[in-house]
Amino acid sequence: EPLGSGRGRSTRRAVWEACIHPDDRERVNASLHASVAAGRENWAAEYRLRLPGDVERHVLHRCFMVIDDQGGPQRMIGSIADLTEQKRQETRLRLQAEMLDYATDAILVRDLDNRVLYWNQAAAERYGWSSDEVIGRPVSETLYAGCGSSDFQHAMQVLMRHGDYSGRMVHSAADGRHFILHVHWILVRRDDGAPRAIL
């Protein structure tokens, strides 16, 4: 229906192509032609659809080709998934991350297994590890390598019980230095209230 075709009817290729955003049309067509020329039965592409009313949707199009006896493509059968909201969220998160890189405080996010999910530029400058070096690693191997396990566990217990923790903790740097800093941890929750991550 968004492509101007009724239920149970085929949409002609020209109708579909006309709905593809002009900036994406050449790339999508080239990808489709290359797939057909290579004899591939499956094809997929992300692009923007421009629909009536000046509505723009970011989509993931997946399909397979129905091939005739001579090996030529007859029709495409598949699905077009709407990624618009997902792309908006990704853009918002990317902008938020860029803004956090302007902060002078070291800011990091870790999962509930204490593995780093986010590490801002100030953290990289203060501790000497780039985000690539710490993301996915537990903080016990880097930032809190010199912190007593009992101190760390106490802080975690307070965090899980009250939703935040503030106090002084021993931190480590990539060059082996140890120093004491005031930290503030916040337990980030999902919409249903379940713990999600630690900021």
Side-chain angles (χ1 to χ4, degrees), residues 49-57:
L49 279 176
R50 183 168 279 176
L51 303 175
D54 239 5
V55 175
E56 190 175 294
R57 312 299 291 176

Side-chain angles (χ1 to χ4, degrees), residues 87-119:
K87 291 294 180 182
R88 281 196 192 114
Q89 289 179 5
E90 288 173 359
T91 300
R92 188 172 69 247
L93 288 173
R94 188 167 55 251
L95 286 171
Q96 289 171 348
E98 288 173 3
M99 292 299 103
L100 289 175
D101 275 337
Y102 284 102
T104 56
D105 287 338
I107 299 173
L108 62 139
V109 177
R110 59 189 200 264
D111 64 18
L112 299 180
D113 292 323
N114 289 304
R115 295 182 181 275
V116 176
L117 301 174
Y118 173 76
W119 182 262

Side-chain angles (χ1 to χ4, degrees), residues 110 139-147 152 169-172 183 185:
R110 59 189 200 264
V139 290
S140 59
E141 293 180 1
T142 54
L143 184 64
Y144 289 108
C147 180
F152 189 84
M169 299 193 76
V170 176
H171 281 197
S172 299
V183 302
W185 299 350

